[in-house]
Amino acid sequence: MTHEILPENDPQLKSFIAVAKDHDFPIQNLPFGIFQTNNGQASRIGVAIGDYVLDLVALCDAGLLTTADINVFNNRYLNDFFALGKPFWRATRQTVSELLRDDCVALRDNDELRQRALISQRDVQMLLPFKVAGYTDFYSSKEHATNLGLMFRGEDNPLLPNWTHMPIAYDGRASSVVVSGTDFKRPCGQVLPADSETPIYSASQRLDTELEVGFVVGTESKQGDAINVKEAADHVFGLVLLSDWSARDIQKWEYQPLGPFLGKNFCTSISPWIVMLDALLPFRVAGPKQEPSPLKYLQCTNDWGLNLELSMSLKTPDMQSYEQISATNFRHVYWNFCQQLAHHSMNGCPMQIGDLFASGTISGAEPGTYGSLIELSWGGQTPLKLSNGEQRCFLQDGDGIQMRAWAQGQDYRVGFGKLTGTVLPANNKYEV
Ligand code: MN
């Protein structure tokens, strides 16, 4: 399908719902999620517009959305919607965009329907938006991979020889992916104390997170078929913000030779809103130059970088509000998602509807642009100094992280809302 800019991306479009120009959810965005109200209605698909959720079941009931089956919208997850295919996703976004325009009377002038279909986001609970089929986390920021390599292996080989030839990744656990706002317990595991040759059992003392963007697969591929890098974008429904909570001490002891395991798979948080790839088409930019040139199956036009501003903030139990600790941009990421998907499927591995693949920590070149605490505190050597006098190298109990992402247009932005998560004390039942 074409990936040219669509009529729904027009910066001139206005909704009859007022949306401030620094709001994440203008009519040019229209991200999809699953929400629930406290009035006993079942969970269903909603689209964010300004401070409201637009209830697609209500629109379908009113005959304003065409589908064979209302249960596609009246659903706990978006997976059945994904299964109807990209032309259907696109047509749905187009219809919703038309219904929300300031010159369209069908919804604007129908008081009864408007009251039923537009619900304040304050009055809904957002749920995990799709059933996660598989979860793969890439490692595609060269700056992050180099920083971690320096800390874990030293200056001799910070970037392993394979890194510039393919998107490196590990398979995570779909079962541990949660929606924003889900607090989680500090993990316990095996760690190797400094100057010791034998491990101990401990709650992680180096709990961290990684600022990432996740891609949601909406179109599957068959086992044995490789996805062509030039067609990979057609498999992606949209993007989420992703917090990859990481226990560095557990990770460090376990990761060789087969990669991350229990240091990573206790919890991964995603934003409740999925921003459709279509909504981000105006924000495509060139990615970093790839040198050496990748193998042919990874070669694509260098215009799948995305100009997404990203920020990460921290709130300790003593603080009233989140304080920003990092700001970076997604365009720095070396391997793009088309290359990640082509690589992931090139051996015949089937992609499933609801697969989630994450970018890897997004770090820029400067210290203030690092996307993880282990980089920001340089392995725990230089604590972050917070404005209230507290210091942090890693996350303590009660600490919360908030992530944001948005593409900045002229007088509007296409954003992801907020992603938050808070650390609860460990359930340390084996401790002696
Ligand atoms: Mn990660």
Side-chain angles (χ1 to χ4, degrees):
M1 288 185 82
T2 175
H3 295 103
E4 301 300 313
I5 293 171
L6 303 165
E8 294 76 54
N9 300 123
D10 184 349
Q12 303 303 321
L13 290 182
K14 290 257 182 305
S15 173
F16 62 85
I17 294 171
V19 182
K21 60 183 183 180
D22 62 349
H23 201 296
D24 280 347
F25 306 135
I27 192 168
Q28 289 82 3
N29 187 349
L30 306 179
F32 284 70
I34 297 286
F35 74 98
Q36 201 168 29
T37 57
N38 56 12
N39 65 4
Q41 283 184 326
S43 54
R44 57 197 48 212
I45 299 181
V47 168
I49 176 76
D51 292 328
Y52 293 90
V53 182
L54 180 63
D55 180 346
L56 297 201
V57 173
L59 294 189
C60 201
D61 259 339
L64 294 173
L65 279 183
T66 52
T67 172
D69 184 358
I70 196 171
N71 288 321
V72 169
F73 299 113
N74 202 7
N75 204 307
R76 171 62 190 87
Y77 293 110
L78 278 156
N79 300 54
D80 292 341
F81 176 76
F82 296 158
L84 294 176
K86 184 155 189 158
F88 185 78
W89 317 334
R90 235 175 215 186
T92 303
R93 179 163 176 268
Q94 184 183 7
T95 304
V96 167
S97 172
E98 283 166 4
L99 287 168
L100 287 169
R101 283 175 206 176
D102 57 359
D103 59 354
C104 175
V105 299
L107 180 59
R108 187 192 73 185
D109 293 353
N110 184 337
D111 288 350
E112 186 276 325
L113 178 60
R114 222 178 48 234
Q115 283 193 3
R116 201 150 45 87
L118 284 163
I119 306 152
S120 168
Q121 282 174 26
R122 278 195 304 267
D123 297 332
V124 305
Q125 185 193 357
M126 298 305 300
L127 306 177
L128 187 69
F130 62 101
K131 185 146 185 63
V132 182
Y135 168 48
T136 301
D137 191 17
F138 284 86
Y139 192 51
S140 288
S141 156
K142 195 175 193 173
E143 291 80 3
H144 171 73
T146 304
N147 285 341
L148 269 275
L150 282 170
M151 283 182 257
F152 276 49
R153 280 184 303 275
E155 286 182 9
D156 293 341
N157 59 348
L159 206 58
L160 292 173
N162 55 10
W163 197 94
T164 51
H165 293 281
M166 61 180 170
I168 300 293
Y170 66 92
D171 277 328
R173 286 287 288 180
S175 60
S176 64
V177 178
V178 301
V179 73
S180 168
T182 309
D183 301 336
F184 64 95
K185 289 176 190 157
R186 174 182 301 275
C188 299
Q190 281 201 22
V191 301
L192 189 68
D195 307 320
S196 171
E197 287 178 1
T198 54
I200 58 166
Y201 174 91
S202 171
S204 172
Q205 300 303 306
R206 289 163 77 91
L207 183 59
D208 193 359
T209 192
E210 303 188 90
L211 172 61
E212 304 195 23
V213 166
F215 292 79
V216 184
V217 172
T219 301
E220 62 195 3
S221 65
K222 289 202 188 74
Q223 189 157 22
D225 285 354
I227 293 174
N228 187 312
V229 69
K230 296 179 180 68
E231 291 160 10
D234 283 336
H235 289 262
V236 171
F237 173 77
L239 284 64
V240 290
L241 253 175
L242 187 144
S243 176
D244 177 18
W245 307 101
S246 304
R248 299 301 182 192
D249 38 7
I250 298 172
Q251 181 186 1
K252 185 168 186 176
W253 169 234
E254 75 180 357
Y255 88 109
Q256 288 178 322
L258 286 184
F261 186 40
L262 300 177
K264 291 285 195 172
N265 65 13
F266 55 95
C267 186
T268 303
S269 307
I270 62 171
S271 60
W273 295 109
I274 310 177
V275 175
M276 277 183 73
L277 183 59
D278 278 352
L280 295 168
L281 294 176
F283 306 100
R284 290 172 63 184
V285 290
K289 183 172 166 47
Q290 296 186 328
E291 187 65 50
S293 183
L295 292 176
K296 196 167 176 198
Y297 79 98
L298 288 172
Q299 290 176 9
C300 62
T301 52
N302 185 20
D303 56 1
W304 276 113
L306 290 169
N307 188 5
L308 288 181
E309 303 285 346
L310 296 152
S311 74
M312 178 158 65
S313 304
L314 171 70
K315 184 160 84 66
T316 72
D318 289 345
M319 292 164 70
Q320 298 301 312
S321 56
Y322 285 94
E323 181 169 320
Q324 186 169 302
I325 55 172
S326 176
T328 185
N329 192 297
F330 188 63
R331 66 190 302 168
H332 301 308
V333 174
Y334 188 88
W335 295 105
N336 67 50
F337 68 91
C338 299
Q339 294 173 315
Q340 291 171 340
L341 204 45
H343 185 67
H344 202 327
S345 62
M346 65 96 66
N347 65 345
C349 175
M351 296 296 112
Q352 293 180 279
I353 291 171
D355 276 347
L356 173 66
F357 58 108
S359 59
T361 311
I362 303 156
S363 290
E366 306 299 322
T369 65
Y370 294 163
S372 65
L373 287 170
I374 194 172
E375 291 168 275
L376 290 165
S377 71
W378 204 255
Q381 294 171 32
T382 51
L384 283 175
K385 292 182 170 57
L386 304 172
S387 60
N388 68 351
E390 288 185 281
Q391 297 191 353
R392 283 293 185 279
C393 291
F394 295 97
L395 295 169
Q396 297 188 6
D397 290 350
D399 285 355
I401 286 285
Q402 177 178 283
M403 295 176 180
R404 307 283 309 256
W406 68 94
Q408 186 65 54
Q410 182 87 35
D411 288 336
Y412 75 104
R413 61 161 61 168
V414 172
F416 288 71
K418 293 171 184 164
L419 165 58
T420 59
T422 298
V423 182
L424 302 174
N427 185 8
N428 208 352
K429 65 181 177 180
Y430 298 109
E431 195 168 49
V432 287

